[in-house]
Amino acid sequence: MPETIGARHVGPRPRRRTSVAIGAVVAIAVASTALGAVPAAVAEAPQPAPTGAYVSAPSVAPDGAFTVDFIGETAECGDGGDAFSQSWAFVDAAASTPLPSPSEANSALGVTSRDGQMSASIPDGTAGSLQLTCTPSGGGAAQTISLPLTVRSGPTATRWSWSITGPVGAGAVVTASAFGFTPGEQVTASITNVTRGLASGGDLSGAVAAPVGATVDGSGAVTVDIVVPSGWVPGDDLDLSIAGATSRFRLASGPGTPMPLSSTEALSTSGAVFSGGDLVVRAGGFAPAETVTFSLHPSTGSAEQVGALVADAGGGVAGTLRLPADAPAGVQRLWGVSGSDDGRLVSAALTVAASPEVVRISGEDRYQTAVATAQAFAPFDTGTGTVYLTSGNTFPDALGAGALAASIGAPVLLTAPEVLPDAVRAELLRLRPATVKVVGGTSAVSDAVLSQVTGLAFAHGTTRIGGSDRFETNRLLIADALRSASTVYLAIGSNFPDALAAGPAAASLGGAVVLVDGGASTVDAATLRMIAGLGVRDVRLVGGRAAMSAGIQSQLEHLYPGKVTRYAGADRYDTAAQIVAAAWPGAVDQVLLASGANFPDALAAGALGVPMLTSGSTCVSSSVLDRLAALQPKTVSVVGGTTALTPAVAALKRC
């Protein structure tokens, strides 16, 4: 038989819940943080909540029952026990209405409870307070405690759920979600191990989890993560407590166990999204076929429903929700609320970024697109400035040019192998650099083109930088532009996506992109000498082991211990997103979005030196959109025409 202590049922039983209509649920929580300053009473002796008196619900029906819990030793009423006589009244703006005498005190595991009855004469919808008048039994002055309380018929607008991934044990995390608190108030959450407390005769040492503090959001909702102490084991009965400092409402679950969930059943989102954008969500642990309503809410203000999904036969929901176009920017939370009274509440942090202005940088062909990109640069002052001129037909010699161009403020223009396009010639004349550096050998850019550029008579002339192969050309370019570099990105020279993605990031860190034979077991001696000569302190490998061998990583880790990092995503787009995330961890003004399927547009755009993400031609991958939203740019510049990147990409359509 289960054991009863006072008014509290101890033993297996369904988790206590109060129902609420789904239409009333607009719940988003602020992530919990470790409680910095735990109230002294909690710090000195274990107890379920900070010292004080709490009401069991923020509202009660006319003639309805309610409970007041006393935690610790209050100044006004002691521990709520027989040392004080108590009289209760409901006080509102119109009157003070005496209430029936409260029940005798029932004490168990750090909580003393008294039950009360609301007067049927109080009009429905009246907001006021429950006034407890406590008089010492041995004589002395009476003192009062006021607890906010509303008289309202119908279900109380409170609801909660708790879950745990894995078994109860030291270090496990219980996630509790609830609403019904006062917006903006501070709450303290903890868990009491009823099994341990009873076994020790009521001693709560080791039976109360460390309290966690959190701020309630603008709709009265909160989520907290509570760490299970050592010594707790599966099968222990646990009692959740969340106590509001302003509302004086204490949610008490009653003995039970959190809902066990696998990591895949926790609510997951795409992590960041633009206002008006699509949000991919996934969660589990619901009842089959039940409807789960999702709402979005900032830390202050009203929540807004964003959609609903129906659970499958396994209790999982997965789908895409559309955020409102006016969703406020910032870190918010998404909550999912099941349709059944005893179902789950789930929430997850979500970064909402203001929708950026999307502009397109393009021309009639790759050469004119590069010209359009270069027009972001003002004409150089007389006798200053450099322009890199590279092949628009082949990429090998030019791969490292973008990073170097960005590091010295130089545009990159493209040319056909045998003739200088008219638009490129006109742009060179507009820029009037002191020097033009032609990148690559004669197979990439012919002597005829070199002669045409030389004929434009720039102040310091036109020079060719080209080696016997792409790797030597890359080393010559770096030697020409840099005397030192703290960071280098190593990328393969046999393909373009990784090297081009790394270019702007390298420039932002004062570094360079170094091309290597990724399939080789080690980096060649000439490249190692160059890296050492630059004084590099940070080596970043781009691409997975299929692109950049494990032998190269091992060699560099031996030469630069603790200074080698690899960036490798699920595909070229994800790799670019990882590179950008590491180089630009915060918000930026502008982001470039270039094709990851071809090289010319990204090659020229890399010279702008701002974060550059890449995309397929018809949609933007989730990892790229998530990174884009996390960067919170004011402007996204789509580089290339509508064949390279369709209007759907410019609309930031998620794949």
Side-chain angles (χ1 to χ4, degrees), residues 135-229:
T135 304
S137 299
Q143 297 189 70
T144 61
I145 295 177
S146 291
L147 305 177
L149 190 62
T150 297
V151 177
R152 181 171 53 233
S153 59
T156 301
T158 61
R159 188 164 167 181
W160 64 276
S161 70
W162 57 343
S163 61
I164 187 170
T165 54
V168 171
V173 176
V174 174
T175 298
S177 300
F179 57 84
F181 293 92
T182 298
E185 75 170 319
Q186 297 296 306
V187 298
T188 301
S190 186
I191 297 174
T192 299
N193 189 315
V194 177
T195 302
R196 286 178 64 93
L198 292 177
S200 63
D203 182 1
L204 294 183
S205 300
V208 178
V212 175
T215 302
V216 176
D217 75 17
S219 288
V222 68
T223 288
V224 289
D225 289 333
I226 305 167
V227 178
V228 174

Side-chain angles (χ1 to χ4, degrees), residues 629-647:
L631 290 167
Q632 302 180 44
K634 296 181 177 67
T635 303
V636 173
S637 299
V638 175
V639 184
T642 55
T643 300
L645 297 175
T646 64

Side-chain angles (χ1 to χ4, degrees), residues 237-255:
D237 269 330
L238 309 181
D239 189 358
L240 169 69
S241 169
I242 305 178
T246 302
S247 65
R248 309 308 297 174
F249 160 45
R250 188 176 85 94
L251 184 156
S253 68

Side-chain angles (χ1 to χ4, degrees), residues 488 490 521-523 528 531 536-541 543 545 548-567:
V488 291
L490 267 66
S521 59
T522 58
V523 177
L528 288 178
I531 294 173
V536 168
R537 301 186 301 276
D538 179 9
V539 179
R540 304 187 179 196
L541 309 183
R545 284 179 169 79
M548 187 80 62
S549 72
I552 288 177
Q553 181 170 351
S554 178
Q555 176 195 33
L556 292 170
E557 286 175 340
H558 175 73
L559 295 172
Y560 300 92
K563 300 176 182 178
V564 178
T565 307
R566 184 188 289 269
Y567 298 94

Side-chain angles (χ1 to χ4, degrees), residues 263-277:
S263 58
T264 59
E265 290 177 312
L267 176 62
S268 64
T269 73
S270 44
V273 66
F274 288 111
S275 300

Side-chain angles (χ1 to χ4, degrees), residues 76-77 87 131-134 142-146:
E76 301 86 355
C77 301
S87 61
Q131 183 171 286
L132 317 179
T133 301
C134 298
Q143 297 189 70
T144 61
I145 295 177
S146 291

